[in-house]
Amino acid sequence: MKTNDRFRTVRVPLRNRSYPIYLGTGIHSSLGSMFRRHDLTGTAVIITDTNVAPLYLKSVKQSLAASGITVHSIVIPSGEREKSLHRADSMYSELLRWKIERQSTIVALGGGVVGDLAGFIASTYQRGIHFVQVPTTLLAQVDSSVGGKVGVNHPLGKNMIGTFYQPDFVAADITALRTLPRREIVCGLGEVVKYGIIRDRKFFSYTVQHIDAIIAKDPEILLRIAAECCRMKADIVSRDEREKNLRAILNFGHTVGHALEHAGGYRLLKHGEAILLGMVAETFAALRLGMIAPIDAGRIEDAVLSVPLPSA
Ligand SMILES: NC(=O)c1ccc[n+]([C@@H]2O[C@H](COP(=O)([O-])OP(=O)(O)OC[C@H]3O[C@@H](n4cnc5c(N)ncnc54)[C@H](O)[C@@H]3O)[C@@H](O)[C@H]2O)c1
Ligand SMILES: [Zn+2]
């Protein structure tokens, strides 16, 4: 991992599909040069949502256009409902109308919803075209933009239709978190706490000590946290890309969490909030089954309870 105060690079080692994650401040304005470095010279189609577009679409477009790239954009409404085959279908039509070809690049500019959907489009349109993730939520910067799981929801289940498709690179601009609502920061924290529990005791303590700084969006702490989470996810994914064994630990809290999200009709609880509650429930299950020491269960519960979840 390359390190300085403002910029870090984490590599995801996957043989011929290895790629870098660039994290730092002011990354959006460097996207054009990153495209050149990665030999992405064709047309780019930016997929984003109605909350992110007014904030960041213009600067991202400008950076790409300055590098001689022709840019189109598709702006979808925000929210989990958009992660659907129906929305994907209308996007394929748009790409075909614009005569988007195989050397073109899909750019996901937004949170996990945009990332999963745009990645699914990139992996299926003309059997797969270039894909760049530009995550703008904490959850997407620490988790969903890394590892290549892309897909859409089906009325009978979340994330049921999808593929594994690695991006050419990920570019996470920490500055973009400034505009993120507090509730979304808390959602990202859910996944951050998860990494500490499943993989790294020291990181767990560091996160718990810095919860207030994360909520206050301290850019140095956020950069450090995001880079560490990406490093851990990159390590797990490089050992088990297709979730045959080890990668399943990333699902800690998700079995119960997904059930809670579903029970609330995907409106009551957001993904990260559901995962926080899911981790407590699964810890209790592990405690009852004698799979975890009471002292560790207590530490997990205390950590989750120190995250300021909305009360109702
Ligand atoms: N592929 C994976 O490995 C993986 C992992 C975890 C979660 N996910 C998926 O990610 C999705 C959740 O992602 P999410 O929490 O990022 O939700 P999201 O994409 O819905 O974003 C949350 C909200 O924040 C807004 N937003 C995004 N960036 C912003 C910014 N910088 N400033 C202001 N507002 C901004 C969005 O418009 C949206 O309203 C779920 O669909 C989940 O299944 C995927
Ligand atoms: Zn998750």
Side-chain angles (χ1 to χ4, degrees):
M1 184 162 77
K2 263 196 236 159
T3 304
N4 70 31
D5 287 350
R6 293 186 53 243
F7 195 84
R8 297 186 185 205
T9 305
V10 177
R11 278 205 79 73
V12 185
L14 286 167
R15 294 165 299 278
N16 61 337
R17 283 169 297 103
S18 300
Y19 60 94
I21 305 163
Y22 305 116
L23 302 114
T25 50
I27 292 253
H28 285 175
S29 56
S30 308
L31 274 170
S33 53
M34 289 174 181
F35 263 60
R36 278 203 304 271
R37 197 181 315 156
H38 286 266
D39 284 330
L40 300 175
T41 49
T43 302
V45 179
I46 303 171
I47 296 175
T48 188
D49 74 23
T50 44
N51 291 332
V52 179
L55 298 167
Y56 306 113
L57 181 57
K58 192 170 161 202
S59 57
V60 168
K61 267 184 171 172
Q62 275 172 352
S63 175
L64 295 178
S67 285
I69 292 160
T70 305
V71 188
H72 294 278
S73 55
I74 300 176
V75 182
I76 60 170
S78 69
E80 187 69 37
R81 278 171 60 93
E82 293 302 312
K83 234 175 82 174
S84 67
L85 279 174
H86 180 69
R87 175 59 66 189
D89 189 43
S90 76
M91 285 182 170
Y92 296 134
S93 306
E94 203 86 85
L95 300 184
L96 287 166
R97 266 197 293 277
W98 288 330
K99 300 192 172 19
I100 298 303
E101 294 175 336
R102 289 203 65 193
Q103 64 274 23
S104 306
T105 305
I106 299 283
V107 181
L109 174 66
V113 165
V114 161
D116 283 9
L117 174 66
F120 181 71
I121 300 283
S123 81
T124 47
Y125 182 76
Q126 297 193 2
R127 297 185 183 79
I129 64 175
H130 291 290
F131 178 42
V132 169
Q133 287 264 25
V134 186
T136 62
T137 63
L138 181 59
L139 184 139
Q141 295 189 349
V142 299
D143 193 355
S144 64
S145 67
V146 178
K149 275 191 183 177
V150 296
V152 294
N153 301 325
H154 185 277
L156 295 181
K158 193 170 145 69
N159 296 330
M160 283 297 121
I161 314 294
T163 65
F164 287 93
Y165 196 67
Q166 303 297 342
D168 290 72
F169 67 89
V170 180
D173 196 329
I174 300 294
T175 328
L177 302 180
R178 272 191 211 146
T179 53
L180 196 64
R182 177 189 160 104
R183 190 173 177 191
E184 299 300 342
I185 294 279
V186 168
C187 285
L189 249 173
E191 305 282 2
V192 174
V193 170
K194 177 191 81 179
Y195 282 108
I197 296 169
I198 62 174
R199 212 61 181 155
D200 189 330
R201 201 173 270 269
K202 260 167 83 180
F203 181 72
F204 175 79
S205 304
Y206 181 84
T207 304
V208 174
Q209 278 162 23
H210 290 88
I211 283 182
D212 289 345
I214 297 169
I215 304 262
K217 303 177 191 169
D218 177 320
E220 268 173 43
I221 307 278
L222 284 172
L223 177 56
R224 184 161 174 195
I225 291 267
E228 273 304 304
C229 292
C230 288
R231 186 189 58 72
M232 283 186 257
K233 186 155 185 188
D235 177 56
I236 293 167
V237 168
S238 67
R239 290 164 194 261
D240 177 24
E241 186 182 3
R242 295 199 161 232
E243 201 173 303
K244 295 199 175 92
N245 39 63
L246 176 68
R247 188 169 177 167
I249 61 169
L250 289 167
N251 299 334
F252 175 50
H254 282 59
T255 305
V256 174
H258 281 164
L260 292 172
E261 263 183 292
H262 185 72
Y266 297 99
R267 283 184 301 275
L268 194 60
L269 284 174
K270 290 182 166 275
H271 180 75
E273 295 166 349
I275 290 339
L276 279 161
L277 299 173
M279 287 191 295
V280 175
E282 291 177 20
T283 299
F284 275 117
L287 188 62
R288 291 285 296 269
L289 292 168
M291 296 166 73
I292 186 173
I295 188 164
D296 290 330
R299 290 183 73 205
I300 294 173
E301 191 191 3
D302 288 348
V304 172
L305 292 180
S306 66
V307 177
L309 277 169
S311 44

